[in-house]
Amino acid sequence: MSAATTDFTAPAGTLPVTVLMVDDQAMVGEAVRRMLADQPEIKFHFCADPTKAMQMAAEVHPTVILQDLVMPEVDGLQLVKFFRANAATRDVPMIVLSSREEPETKYKAFQLGANDYMVKLPDKLEVVARIRYHSQAYITRCERNAAFEALRASQEALKAELNEAERYMRSLFPAPMDDASLTADWTYIACTSLGGDSFGYYWLDPDHFAVYVLDVCGHGVGAALLSVSAMNVLRAQSLPQVDFKNPASVLAGLNEAFDMEKQNDMYFTIWYGVYNRVTRELSYASGGHPPAALLASGSTGAPNLLNTPNVIIGAMPGLPFHAGYVKVSPGDKLYVFSDGVYEVNYAAREGMMTVEEFAAGLAESAPSATRKVEDMVAFVRRAQGRENFDDDFSLVELRFK
């Protein structure tokens, strides 16, 4: 007999109490069968040939095994070892039977994996009680394992769907660009499989270039759906009576279109800017969003933080929104980001990074051959002392020519 693995899985929730008795003495098997005769919910199977015990276990799916320790062809302790080496019977409760109370034999049986020990033949009440006790424990374990496996499969399926949704979201983000007027680059790291941040940039016409970053409250499917909806509205320029070259008009239109009372009480913040390449003027408006940072060409000082005191999008329809304006020189760099890039706790000291401290990091030179947006990811990771982020990390960089 070998300890080859024979795997089987009885369906959870339908396991009956099933006894497999392995004993070379037919009279012992008959005695136990009679003990269980008035227990119709207990199925009894007898195996007189220990060399066929493994095969029979695979056929009947026992919830408890009664096994003699003294048999002519197979050592009982060795058979216990075989049952425990087989994946299909590894966890099935085993009650070993012996004709004597032998502490050393008990010790070896328990050491090899037996769950109980009886001197044969005990009283019927004891036999039935032990069978029920061990079977119920095993059935409960099987049902728990089946529930865990179903949960794991469900989580795997959900994870696959979320990953597919995240790939779709990423497909909506613009590619890095380099044209006669400016270059654009970005980095995005979602803190969960699906985030609430999104961003975009594009030419509205030959002279006006729009850029934005928005951040929906929360994370997961709901946040992503609202984020994609807002992104598509901006890309299609489909807000009625909105001048998309006017940031204040855009935020007012978004505020009307995405009333949080109609969006499951979800809102978002946004920074939206428009660059006029002819006048070199950048107009911008922010709705509850962190400021953008404008870094003057060649400067190592603190960037100019561009912010307007407007409310979050969706909070209260009908409110007016205000814009700001700034001149841009060749070589200037604009950084637009979500609050997830700087709202991190320092590992080496108390407190959370401020937007001013993050902006100071933007003024530092990146190592050679390193994109500045990726350098800022490393900058924040060093500050918090770990790789993963608690919020989405979205950072867009424009370099004006």
Side-chain angles (χ1 to χ4, degrees):
M1 179 187 297
S2 68
T5 296
T6 304
D7 193 15
F8 65 79
T9 303
T14 62
L15 281 173
V17 176
T18 303
V19 179
L20 172 61
M21 183 168 190
V22 183
D23 196 308
D24 63 304
Q25 299 181 51
M27 60 180 292
V28 175
E30 178 61 19
V32 173
R33 186 192 67 78
R34 292 184 180 184
M35 290 181 185
L36 302 177
D38 61 348
Q39 308 291 321
E41 75 280 11
I42 298 178
K43 296 184 177 181
F44 179 74
H45 300 272
F46 179 69
C47 178
D49 184 353
T51 64
K52 297 179 180 179
M54 301 292 289
Q55 178 183 347
M56 193 167 185
E59 294 171 356
V60 304
H61 306 300
T63 59
V64 64
I65 297 172
L66 304 182
Q67 185 215 296
D68 189 18
L69 286 180
V70 181
M71 292 178 286
E73 295 186 46
V74 177
D75 176 66
L77 292 174
Q78 188 68 18
L79 185 55
V80 172
K81 189 175 181 180
F82 283 141
F83 274 124
R84 288 298 177 245
N86 187 293
T89 55
R90 182 178 297 133
D91 298 322
V92 178
M94 294 193 66
I95 303 174
V96 293
L97 306 172
S98 179
S99 59
R100 294 184 303 230
E101 283 276 4
E102 297 176 326
E104 184 176 351
T105 302
K106 285 184 178 181
Y107 170 78
K108 291 179 180 178
F110 286 130
Q111 191 175 44
L112 291 172
N115 300 89
D116 206 346
Y117 186 100
M118 288 195 299
V119 176
K120 62 180 183 183
L121 279 173
D123 184 81
K124 170 185 174 178
L125 292 177
E126 181 181 354
V127 172
V128 173
R130 289 177 187 261
I131 286 174
R132 289 189 183 281
Y133 173 78
H134 289 294
S135 290
Q136 187 55 55
Y138 177 68
I139 291 170
T140 299
R141 179 172 183 166
C142 289
E143 291 173 345
R144 181 202 65 188
N145 291 346
F148 283 156
E149 176 59 25
L151 177 61
R152 185 201 64 78
S154 176
Q155 289 175 331
E156 288 294 323
L158 178 60
K159 182 179 179 181
E161 291 176 1
L162 290 176
N163 287 340
E164 180 64 26
E166 184 185 7
R167 285 192 292 271
Y168 169 70
M169 279 200 67
R170 284 183 173 273
S171 73
L172 300 178
F173 295 155
M177 62 179 293
D178 186 354
D179 65 19
S181 299
L182 53 80
T183 65
D185 195 12
W186 57 268
T187 188
Y188 168 80
I189 302 172
C191 71
T192 61
S193 295
L194 212 52
D197 282 13
S198 61
F199 57 86
Y201 47 76
Y202 40 81
W203 286 101
L204 296 168
D205 59 33
D207 295 330
H208 296 87
F209 185 84
V211 58
Y212 68 88
V213 171
L214 67 87
D215 180 5
V216 177
C217 64
H219 303 97
V221 174
L225 289 174
L226 180 54
S227 186
V228 169
S229 296
M231 188 192 316
N232 285 334
V233 163
L234 291 169
R235 291 174 64 186
Q237 302 178 44
S238 58
L239 293 171
Q241 300 178 336
V242 167
D243 179 4
F244 281 85
K245 297 190 289 292
N246 182 337
S249 176
V250 171
L251 265 61
L254 290 171
N255 189 52
E256 295 298 319
F258 292 95
D259 181 355
M260 63 185 296
E261 291 187 358
K262 300 176 182 178
Q263 304 295 330
N264 197 30
D265 289 332
M266 300 185 73
Y267 63 86
F268 61 90
T269 67
I270 186 171
W271 193 98
Y272 182 94
V274 176
Y275 171 61
N276 186 323
R277 71 174 185 86
V278 177
T279 64
R280 304 198 67 89
E281 183 178 72
L282 175 68
S283 56
Y284 60 90
S286 56
H289 200 83
L294 182 64
L295 184 62
S297 176
S299 173
T300 57
N304 182 15
L305 297 181
L306 309 179
N307 194 25
T308 57
N310 296 311
V311 299
I312 59 176
I313 303 301
M316 190 176 298
L319 286 179
F321 285 79
H322 307 283
Y325 305 87
V326 65
K327 285 287 186 178
V328 174
S329 301
D332 288 357
K333 290 175 283 190
L334 177 71
Y335 294 94
V336 191
F337 44 85
S338 62
D339 57 10
V341 306
Y342 65 87
E343 288 187 346
V344 300
N345 292 312
Y346 281 107
R349 61 179 174 87
E350 292 292 327
M352 179 179 288
M353 182 184 294
T354 65
V355 66
E356 290 80 12
E357 290 169 331
F358 179 79
L362 291 170
E364 299 175 5
S365 298
S368 178
T370 301
R371 298 159 55 214
K372 183 58 184 177
V373 291
E374 292 299 333
D375 178 57
M376 291 307 296
V377 173
F379 172 83
V380 177
R381 281 174 170 162
R382 287 193 301 271
Q384 68 176 6
R386 55 191 174 91
E387 289 289 305
N388 296 330
F389 296 104
D390 293 331
D391 200 357
D392 299 335
F393 191 109
S394 301
L395 174 61
V396 177
E397 176 195 63
L398 298 185
R399 293 177 181 244
F400 299 98
K401 297 182 181 180

